[in-house]
Amino acid sequence: MLGLDKKDTALLLAVAALALFAPFILNIFPQNTALAFFNGGYPDLMQRFVIFGIFAIGFNILFGLTGYLSFGHAAFLGVGSYAAVWMFKLLNYNIVPALVLSVIVAGLFSVLIGWISLRRSGIYFSILTLAFAEMSFRLAYSVLTPLTNGETGLQVYSNDPQILMGENGVTSPHLFGLEMSARATLDLGPWEFTFPVGYYLCAILMLISLYLAIRIFRSPFGLMLRAVKSNQQRMRYTGLNPKPYTLAAFVISGMYAGLAGGLLACMDPLAGAERMQWTASGEVVIMTILGGAGTLLGPILGAGTIKYLENVFSKMNEALLHSWFSWLPDFIETPLIWVLSKFTGEGWHLTLGALFMVIIIFLPGGLVEGGQRIGRLITGRSRKASDTATKPAE
Amino acid sequence: MDAVILQILNGLDKGSAYALIALGLTLIFGTLGVVNFAHGALFMIGAFCAVTLQKIFTLSFQVVDETQKDFLGNPLKVDMPYVEAWFGESFGGGLIEWSVPLAILFSIPVMLFVGYAMERGLIKHFYKRPHADQILVTFGLAIVLQEIIKANFGANPIQTPAPDMFRGSADIGMLLGFDANTIIYPYWRMIYFAFAAIVIGAVFAFLQFTTFGMVVRAGMADRETVGLLGINIDKRFTIMFGIAAAVAGMAGVMYAPINSPNYHMGMDFLVLSFVVVVVGGMGSLPGAVAAGFLLGILESFASNSTFKGYIVDFLYLNGTFTEKLIQGLDQIIIYLVAIIILLTRPRGLMGRKGVMED
């Protein structure tokens, strides 16, 4: 279908089905039960799943295929957000020009940064991108305040021009009148499902992004990118210049990040400089690696896992832990809760860091590799046979 | 002229911190070939050694003080630190007051142990993995260390004052023949600079004049050959990792009075220290030190609006957008310099050939 082979079509359809039924799957536990705590089917969270999915898919095109580890991709996300909010300020709340501009601006920005940073490779490349992202972050806070509104963050004010707004224009982000914040709810006995418009728009864009990524992975261009990763010298000896290919990959991943940033602004018309901070760049690195760098499904899986765990872990507090473990004798419960409380709530980042380290140390291929190992155990196929069958696209 | 000297002095303390961290980073990189993203966290742990020691010294119990009354007329309860009760007011009080300098003695074994444990427990397993994996696992470790500190000490900066003797400022301008009050410089920053100079000198002397240092230098140049000569180079490199951690830790301890320690200070310094290492030249110890001081001083000049005003006047840029950009230079000067250096002198100021040039 659409120029994909059978396996890729199946993958795309599976992701599409998951995205379509996410409001059901994520709200699997009935309301008013203890397990409803683990539900993740709110519009806000689902939107973040797919938006960061897009971000990670894009990052994977650069890191997974070429092996260039960029520590500054959050800059493109931030630039995309700013561009989208500027479109809201100048034209109106229609998201089409906003998204188009955010992709274009992020693309141009990444051409500039990529062109300079890609003159070096390895650790130098990481540090150069890091330096650029930090520079953008600092500038957004200080000198570029007229463009970025500094610490307050860029937002739409009532006295903004909004030249296409008209008399009774919609006053929140919309797609030709279809508001992003609109949602339908479905009550089925104790279950309650929400179907937000914004989420489905993001999901459709995520599927398109994934489709493009698959096409890139399977194309001769993707092959070139893999050649860059495996041996640049040999590539040069065959008469190929790796630079244009790497730069193209860099720009494509920058545009993905810009799209993700634009979508963040479309869901909530705000843009702040903290989106560009280097910890935000670190987050997308963590997502991609947690899921499995160089695989197609990995980045989406990683983004979903991290955002879901973030949500669940930061909601946990000591009172909740007490209610869960009250059946244990006190002398076990108290130290157990003391330990767990360090990892939950405020301590979510501790869990994140520890999880990330465990993945890097024991499972460098990420969750996808973990899934494959488990699959091998269950089917009992020999390692050699399955290696040829389910080798990740790296 | 006095303004120039003042800016140079102002840059020295931050530059000292950069130089010390970058020195440790380069030691680790030069010996073990590992890019340690957790080095900023070691700096932070050092600063929290000072906090911990201060907390231990000020552990107190409550005593009733008959001479003072609270607002209800009852005898006031005051906190009495244990050390004052045990060792008398003068010595115990002195211990509390001198907790930051004493924390250096406390931090050296702690940091040596932390460094040793880190290398043997984690980094050892990453020598054969790609650099990207090393960066990522130490990045994860940095997050973990930082969050552990946050969980134990809270998110707010903790005041750790220097001893009374070193509070206040010296009027250096008078010594150099300028008018009074032109160049005022805090004592503690002077001490920080002197301390940094001593530590850097000690590390260089250790590498240059001891047999151990000679072997380590030989190992940095050609690890395999040294190994073939029957020397257990891994063990020595592990010790060097401990020393690098101790240098970062001591830098952190001494920095605590300048900037109250908080849990993310390590990350703030780490990014800059990496830039320093790259500017100095990956793997070059003198380069790291020189670049540390250089960038510290540059940053201090860039944060002075008078100098930026001169640049603006000189280029006839008054009132343009570029003027604003120049006024914001202090925020980005280090990154800008790093980018320019990396593009014009890819090996950094004093980089050696063939180091990290894949």
Side-chain angles (χ1 to χ4, degrees), chain A residues 226-246:
Chain A
R226 270 174 223 162
V228 170
K229 183 178 186 176
S230 56
N231 197 331
Q232 284 201 38
Q233 204 144 21
R234 209 174 285 172
M235 196 174 166
R236 271 193 219 102
Y237 285 157
T238 37
L240 291 159
N241 183 2
K243 177 100 188 265
Y245 295 104
T246 344

Side-chain angles (χ1 to χ4, degrees), chain A residues 53-66:
Chain A
I54 295 175
F55 191 15
I57 292 172
F59 183 77
N60 189 38
I61 292 177
L62 179 70
F63 177 59
L65 286 180
T66 68

Side-chain angles (χ1 to χ4, degrees), chain A residues 60 135 185 190 196 206 328 383:
Chain A
N60 189 38
M135 244 168 81
T185 48
M206 191 266 281
L328 283 170
R383 179 172 286 255

Side-chain angles (χ1 to χ4, degrees), chain A residues 63 67 69 71 116-117 119-128 130-132 134-136 138-139 141-144 146-147 236 277-279 281-283 285-286 289 338 342 346-357 359-364, chain B residues 29 35 37 122 126 129 131-133 135-137 139-145 147-148 150-152 155 267-268 270-272 274-275 278 281-282 299 321 324-332 335-336 338-339 342-343 345-348 355-358:
Chain A
F63 177 59
L69 175 58
F71 252 95
I116 300 176
S117 308
R119 298 171 70 134
R120 310 304 319 280
S121 59
I123 169 90
Y124 290 101
F125 174 78
S126 301
I127 290 173
L128 269 176
L130 182 61
F132 271 116
E134 275 294 293
M135 244 168 81
S136 320
R138 301 279 180 103
L139 284 176
Y141 257 137
S142 57
V143 185
L144 296 180
L147 271 177
R236 271 193 219 102
Q277 214 172 357
W278 78 283
T279 40
S281 305
E283 200 181 40
V285 178
I286 294 178
I289 290 181
W338 184 81
K342 297 281 179 209
E346 293 269 291
W348 143 248
H349 280 104
L350 180 57
T351 321
L352 177 69
L355 178 72
F356 183 55
M357 278 178 72
I359 291 279
I360 294 273
I361 297 169
F362 298 109
L363 209 63
Chain B
F29 183 77
V35 182
F37 258 58
L122 181 71
F126 277 80
R129 305 262 295 257
H131 278 299
D133 279 7
I135 294 177
L136 293 169
V137 80
F139 177 60
L141 182 68
I143 298 176
V144 168
L145 291 175
E147 292 300 318
I148 289 174
K150 185 178 160 195
N152 287 317
M267 285 288 187
D268 299 346
L270 175 81
V271 181
L272 289 170
F274 259 110
V275 172
V278 170
M282 209 87 191
E299 197 182 18
F321 183 69
K324 282 196 155 173
L325 273 183
I326 289 177
Q327 288 300 345
L329 204 60
D330 52 320
Q331 299 285 331
I332 56 162
Y335 304 107
L336 210 59
I339 289 165
L342 271 190
L343 295 179
R345 268 191 71 88
R347 271 174 210 148
V355 178
M356 287 293 294
E357 290 178 344
D358 42 348

Side-chain angles (χ1 to χ4, degrees), chain B residues 172-209:
Chain B
I172 294 187
M174 295 280 275
L175 296 175
L176 298 172
F178 295 106
D179 294 337
N181 293 327
T182 46
I183 305 175
I184 304 248
Y185 199 60
Y187 289 122
W188 187 259
R189 295 186 178 218
M190 257 186 272
I191 289 173
Y192 195 84
F193 173 63
F195 172 79
I198 292 169
V199 170
I200 291 168
V203 169
F204 275 90
F206 179 70
L207 285 175
Q208 209 66 40
F209 302 123

Side-chain angles (χ1 to χ4, degrees), chain A residues 150-316:
Chain A
E151 288 184 32
T152 326
L154 194 63
Q155 46 189 298
V156 184
Y157 296 109
S158 51
N159 58 356
D160 282 328
Q162 298 200 299
I163 45 175
L164 296 180
M165 189 68 163
E167 282 283 303
N168 302 313
V170 192
T171 53
S172 70
H174 63 90
L175 178 70
F176 301 111
L178 186 63
E179 282 187 57
M180 288 299 115
S181 51
R183 65 188 64 164
T185 48
L186 171 67
D187 288 317
L188 277 180
W191 283 277
E192 190 185 301
F193 303 111
T194 320
F195 306 95
V197 173
Y199 163 71
Y200 279 106
L201 178 96
C202 297
I204 290 167
L205 286 173
M206 191 266 281
L207 288 172
I208 297 173
S209 310
L210 179 64
Y211 171 73
L212 289 176
I214 297 178
R215 290 304 296 263
I216 290 174
F217 267 62
R218 303 288 179 242
S219 66
F221 171 66
L223 212 58
M224 289 297 176
L225 296 182
R226 270 174 223 162
V228 170
K229 183 178 186 176
S230 56
N231 197 331
Q232 284 201 38
Q233 204 144 21
R234 209 174 285 172
M235 196 174 166
R236 271 193 219 102
Y237 285 157
T238 37
L240 291 159
N241 183 2
K243 177 100 188 265
Y245 295 104
T246 344
L247 183 61
F250 192 87
V251 174
I252 291 170
S253 74
M255 285 162 85
Y256 270 73
L259 175 66
L263 280 173
L264 276 179
C266 289
M267 297 304 124
D268 182 12
L270 259 177
E274 69 282 349
R275 268 179 205 165
M276 304 168 107
Q277 214 172 357
W278 78 283
T279 40
S281 305
E283 200 181 40
V284 71
V285 178
I286 294 178
M287 283 173 185
T288 310
I289 290 181
L290 180 79
T295 62
L296 285 167
L297 193 58
I300 308 172
L301 212 59
T305 314
I306 296 243
K307 285 292 158 192
Y308 178 72
L309 290 180
E310 179 183 15
N311 180 53
V312 169
F313 270 85
S314 8
K315 270 196 308 187
M316 282 186 204

